Amino acid sequence: MAVLSVDDLTVAYGDHTVFSNLSFTINSGDFLVVVGENGVGKTTLVKALLGLIKPKEGTINIPKDTRLGYVPQFRNLDEEYPLSIRDFVALNSRQSRWPWLTKKERHRLDRIIRITDLTKIAGRPLGLASGGEKQRAYLAQALLTNPRLLILDESTASLDNEMKYSLLDLVARFQEDGLSVMFITHDWDLAQRYGTRYLHMQADGYTAGSINELAAIVKGEEEC
Amino acid sequence: MLSLAFMRHAFVASNFIAIVSGVIGVFVVARQLSFLTHTLSEIGFAGASFAVFAGWAPLDGMILFTMLSSVLVGQMSIKESRREAVISAVSGLFIGLGILFLSLSSQTASSATSILFGSVVGISASEVHQLIILSAVVLAITVLIYRQLKFSSFDEVGAQVSGFNQTVISVVFLLLLALSVSVAAQIVGSLLIFILLTIPAASAKYFTHGVAKMMGLAILFSLLGTWAGLLLGYLTNWPVSFFIAVIEVIIYVIALLYQNFIEAN
Ligand SMILES: Nc1ncnc2c1ncn2[C@@H]1O[C@H](COP(=O)(O)OP(=O)(O)OP(=O)(O)O)[C@@H](O)[C@H]1O
Ligand SMILES: [Mg+2]
């Protein structure tokens, strides 16, 4: 079952066309890795999927019941950012509209904080957390709504190898419960390790397919 | 001192002002709108002088001017790169207008000082009622949009995908801010209004790490300032707003020292 399908999508900033005629589908349980050089339009694609920019042409189809979770590439939180990790994660609670969290919401919050291994540091201000802790908090916030499709924009870029693996292992665990993932990365090794499908964006077009085919592209790049 | 009617009025009014500024101030600080709050208070000054000139109650003029302009100024200054220039220009214009209206009206000197520096003596029972109603409106709307306002104030990027319209929230908040500025001006005056709307909340964030707790502390800091300010003003006959300003700044300095102490350990 498709959780997202993109058909003939063209996105432009004014006169500047970022990419054109892009088509692909993400099915339930897929782990799609999106690769491509800096500036090729990966983040722009995500913004279009999230409805933050209007496509010039083409359609984006997301079933009504598909909730999206998004871990953005950049967040402007400084050292003095006051909220605790727990309160930051809780910002995304949406089951009720009361000013306080309901019992159900608190349960869900505690569970996500436990799964993302943040329990011990949940009371500390997010501004003082390390890069890896921050990424886990961002992930926890995105997972709080129990999304069907999780979009990660270079969420592992600032992490050491061990942290990269533990973060993606965590995501992969949710994948078993039917979560689909769209993971943007420059790390071909991670792409092949976790991906089931790939989308390779290039200045003059794109290729997409199952992850095995990515190996051939990697080889091609190495030869150049 | 509470046997004097005007002191009672001032006391009741200051409690509501403290609650509104504590609640709204936390969002002002999170959304980095301190500078805009300054501008709104200057716009409020122009509105109040216009009211004096036109023979209305100063509060009505303030509400009219700040509500009309808050959204405009807020939207113009969304781009951070040109925020300062826009806000300076608008401030300048409105201070100028304020001075003009005052000079055109007949009762210049005393009304000017009470608008600029606040005045406890002048607050009547009906003004207190108006202030309570306005505070209730501000607080009720805040409760209605609380979750969205909190999300967009404390995580703009994350809130983008949470399915509510951020522009609507930001416009509604600017209107709330405009109302709060008009409310708070009654005691501290338009010149020092940002004191209650920014400093208690800015201090609170060094002591606690949850939004509701920050509000609680900010309210407490505002109350401390206004209560002590009223008392000291009564005892010494010096301006209340002077004491409020000094007390809030002292609290802020203590907060900074506390933060340094925590970091050093
Ligand atoms: N708001 C904007 N206005 C105009 N052009 C933009 C805007 N945002 C991005 N661009 C341009 O669109 C192109 C694609 O940018 P995008 O951020 O999508 O690249 P990316 O593939 O995510 O790159 P990276 O790997 O560096 O994150 C770039 O040429 C960029 O300069
Ligand atoms: Mg990018």
Side-chain angles (χ1 to χ4, degrees):
Chain A
M1 205 188 70
V3 291
L4 172 98
S5 63
V6 168
D7 196 34
D8 218 20
L9 189 70
T10 298
V11 173
Y13 290 112
D15 291 340
H16 170 61
T17 300
V18 182
F19 56 81
S20 45
N21 306 105
L22 183 69
S23 302
F24 66 94
T25 306
I26 302 180
N27 287 311
S28 182
D30 274 355
F31 195 117
L32 176 78
V33 291
V34 180
V35 291
E37 284 169 16
N38 289 130
V40 82
K42 303 180 296 297
T43 300
T44 304
L45 170 62
V46 171
K47 286 189 175 157
L49 298 183
L50 296 171
L52 301 177
I53 32 183
K54 215 169 126 28
K56 198 169 156 193
E57 273 169 58
T59 54
I60 297 167
N61 221 315
I62 303 173
K64 270 225 167 65
D65 58 348
T66 303
R67 256 191 309 273
L68 299 180
Y70 170 48
V71 182
Q73 186 173 4
F74 300 110
R75 243 180 176 117
N76 45 350
L77 307 181
D78 59 25
E79 261 178 39
E80 291 208 350
Y81 183 77
L83 291 197
S84 68
I85 290 178
R86 188 174 199 276
D87 284 67
F88 172 82
V89 174
L91 287 176
N92 204 13
S93 293
R94 283 188 238 162
Q95 282 170 303
S96 82
R97 293 177 48 101
W98 297 106
W100 50 86
L101 293 180
T102 61
K103 211 172 177 183
K104 240 171 129 187
E105 286 173 318
R106 263 183 287 133
H107 262 83
R108 170 105 196 132
L109 177 63
D110 289 335
R111 199 171 84 84
I112 290 293
I113 284 188
R114 199 170 51 242
I115 296 172
T116 47
D117 198 18
L118 291 166
T119 311
K120 259 192 224 144
I121 53 168
R124 293 228 306 253
L126 181 65
L128 302 176
S130 76
E133 292 163 349
K134 280 197 181 112
Q135 283 301 335
R136 284 210 307 264
Y138 301 163
L139 178 66
Q141 195 203 63
L143 287 172
L144 194 64
T145 55
N146 204 3
R148 293 289 311 277
L149 174 61
L150 179 67
I151 301 177
L152 305 169
D153 195 349
E154 301 195 26
S155 309
T156 55
S158 62
L159 307 182
D160 63 34
N161 272 331
E162 200 182 323
M163 278 305 298
K164 277 181 194 169
Y165 296 143
S166 80
L167 193 86
L168 290 173
D169 284 344
L170 194 78
V171 172
R173 264 167 53 196
F174 281 86
Q175 203 190 341
E176 287 161 13
D177 305 332
L179 176 74
S180 310
V181 183
M182 177 173 171
F183 175 46
I184 296 169
T185 186
H186 289 286
D187 190 327
W188 295 84
D189 169 53
L190 282 182
Q192 292 182 74
R193 194 169 168 138
Y194 291 94
T196 62
R197 304 189 59 79
Y198 82 95
L199 169 68
H200 183 205
M201 295 176 71
Q202 283 160 296
D204 55 355
Y206 72 97
T207 55
S210 92
I211 199 74
N212 308 327
E213 299 162 34
L214 191 64
I217 298 176
V218 177
K219 255 198 174 154
E221 298 242 326
E222 273 167 5
E223 275 160 23
C224 297
Chain B
M1 92 190 190
L2 289 181
S3 58
L4 294 169
F6 75 84
M7 281 308 278
R8 267 203 312 276
H9 294 158
F11 185 73
V12 172
S14 69
N15 290 348
F16 280 90
I17 289 170
I19 294 169
V20 167
S21 350
V23 170
I24 296 298
V26 166
F27 296 113
V28 168
V29 171
R31 299 173 86 91
Q32 300 182 319
L33 294 178
S34 303
F35 203 31
L36 178 67
T37 308
H38 272 248
T39 314
L40 280 179
S41 57
E42 278 139 12
I43 292 172
F45 163 65
S49 350
F50 175 77
V52 169
F53 164 69
W56 308 351
L59 181 59
D60 296 342
M62 283 191 113
I63 292 174
L64 178 73
F65 271 50
T66 52
M67 295 276 269
L68 281 181
S69 55
S70 60
V71 176
L72 194 69
V73 183
Q75 296 304 318
M76 278 203 299
S77 58
I78 266 179
K79 273 206 183 132
E80 212 154 331
S81 45
R82 64 168 190 232
R83 190 179 283 172
E84 293 202 3
V86 166
I87 292 183
S88 304
V90 174
S91 296
L93 176 66
F94 277 92
I95 293 175
L97 281 174
I99 294 169
L100 173 70
F101 289 132
L102 278 182
S103 74
L104 292 179
S105 68
S106 45
Q107 26 174 305
T108 315
S110 75
S111 50
T113 48
S114 76
I115 290 167
L116 279 170
F117 306 113
S119 145
V120 276
V121 190
I123 297 188
S124 68
S126 72
E127 278 169 330
V128 172
H129 288 155
Q130 195 179 7
L131 199 141
I132 292 174
I133 291 167
L134 284 176
S135 307
V137 168
V138 169
L139 294 175
I141 296 175
T142 307
V143 167
L144 278 180
I145 62 167
Y146 185 72
R147 291 246 178 145
Q148 286 95 328
L149 181 60
K150 192 165 109 172
F151 203 171
S152 79
S153 304
F154 285 90
D155 184 14
E156 203 186 338
V157 179
Q160 278 182 340
V161 293
S162 62
F164 59 83
N165 190 324
Q166 295 225 74
T167 315
V168 172
I169 294 293
S170 116
V171 168
V172 172
F173 182 71
L174 289 171
L175 293 173
L176 290 179
L177 181 59
L179 274 180
S180 311
V181 163
S182 309
V183 167
Q186 302 310 301
I187 289 235
V188 280
S190 63
L191 201 64
L192 285 177
I193 207 152
F194 64 91
I195 292 230
L196 286 181
L197 273 164
T198 59
I199 301 184
S203 310
K205 79 172 195 177
Y206 294 112
F207 294 106
T208 179
H209 306 299
V211 179
K213 287 180 199 151
M214 285 194 272
M215 283 177 181
L217 261 190
I219 292 172
L220 184 72
F221 293 157
S222 303
L223 281 177
L224 270 179
T226 47
W227 285 349
L230 283 176
L231 178 67
L232 293 170
Y234 177 77
L235 294 176
T236 59
N237 234 349
W238 288 8
V240 171
S241 42
F242 161 74
F243 290 111
I244 295 179
V246 170
I247 291 163
E248 298 303 343
V249 170
I250 290 174
I251 291 174
Y252 185 64
V253 171
I254 293 173
L256 288 181
L257 291 175
Y258 174 78
Q259 170 76 1
N260 284 341
F261 172 78
I262 293 277
E263 270 173 18
N265 285 272

